[in-house]
Amino acid sequence: MLIEKRVRTHNPTTSRRSAAKAEGQSLRVLAYEKFRQQILDGRLHAGQFVSQRELTELLEMPLGAIREMIPRLEAVRLIHTVPKRGLQVARVDLRLIRNAFQVRALIEREAIQHFAGVASDAELDELAQQHRDILTRAESGNPDPALDNDAETVDWGLHDRMVDAMDNDILSEIYRVNSLHVRLIRLDSQLVRPMRVIPGMVEHLRFIKALQEHDGERAVEMLLSHIDSSRQRILHRATTSASSPDGSASTETH
């Protein structure tokens, strides 16, 4: 019996196309991550106009990757195209604040309920200590240039950890995008640091304590209270700024 052996031939053209496609996708993903980091670092601000060329310089990415990234940013409403003016980073208004915090509450309620059942005592103790260390630095009154960044790392690190603990890639991605909207809502002035860092750490420690006591219901209550307090502080600052003589609006993250 003669068995025909089928030999798969190599097609250089197909291979090059596949490689180019993979490279294009990786560049688009890298461009998006760099754009995301610019928001996290405060280099891109809510309402700011930016051209594609400016983005190539800011992100240090080729124009092709920038152009491919834009539809993704538009789809999640991080930017939108304004005719004759270019690309505008999402503007902060009362609707954005309401929507972003509603999404936070919906996802984080589910996240902390799950986290209450899977977090170890050792992890919770470590999280509590990280927050106490930040709180001590914030209350000291000493000059601390790294405090804001360190506080945000600890603050968002806890929220991200609880969401990621659900092991649901779809929810984690939705949450990450929404957190970018929230971070566009920031208080930049050092004069309002006590309104942001200290209350945030205190409120976090309250629901961490509930988690340590294995009181899931209390943890949910404290978390939602924290989210609502953040929203109220932001709304107060936004309405105060809107009525100020210079009309400048500046809000906070947590």
Side-chain angles (χ1 to χ4, degrees), residues 4 16 32 44 63 76 111 125 132 160 177 202 235:
E4 181 181 354
R16 286 195 297 270
Y32 176 83
L44 282 174
L63 184 58
V76 295
D125 289 345
R132 284 193 293 267
D160 290 344
V177 171
V202 170
L235 288 172

Side-chain angles (χ1 to χ4, degrees), residues 17 20 26 176 236 253:
R17 287 174 180 171
S26 63
R176 290 297 194 280
H236 172 73
T253 54

Side-chain angles (χ1 to χ4, degrees), residues 192-241:
V192 295
R193 179 181 294 168
M195 293 176 57
R196 175 162 51 86
V197 175
I198 294 176
M201 294 298 107
V202 170
E203 291 162 10
H204 274 213
L205 284 168
R206 287 173 183 162
F207 65 76
I208 291 174
K209 181 178 180 182
L211 289 170
Q212 289 174 310
E213 295 173 350
H214 305 288
D215 189 343
E217 185 175 338
R218 178 70 172 165
V220 170
E221 179 184 344
M222 291 292 95
L223 171 68
L224 294 180
S225 176
H226 163 61
I227 293 174
D228 186 60
S229 294
S230 296
R231 184 177 63 86
Q232 292 298 334
R233 287 193 293 268
I234 285 172
L235 288 172
H236 172 73
R237 180 66 181 175
T239 54
T240 300
S241 297

Side-chain angles (χ1 to χ4, degrees), residues 11-80:
N11 188 324
T13 302
T14 302
S15 298
R16 286 195 297 270
R17 287 174 180 171
S18 298
K21 182 178 180 181
E23 182 181 1
Q25 290 175 339
S26 63
L27 286 175
R28 183 174 67 247
V29 171
L30 180 58
Y32 176 83
E33 289 303 318
K34 286 191 172 186
F35 181 90
R36 177 177 177 273
Q37 195 59 50
Q38 293 294 317
I39 291 178
L40 299 183
D41 293 342
R43 296 191 183 99
L44 282 174
H45 304 284
Q48 177 180 344
F49 281 93
V50 61
S51 69
Q52 291 184 16
R53 292 290 181 184
E54 288 171 334
L55 282 178
T56 63
E57 297 175 3
L58 185 64
L59 306 185
E60 298 180 336
M61 296 294 296
L63 184 58
I66 299 299
R67 287 174 173 168
E68 291 189 4
M69 169 191 69
I70 289 172
R72 181 180 180 184
L73 295 175
E74 289 180 320
V76 295
R77 300 187 179 184
L78 283 171
I79 64 169
H80 71 280

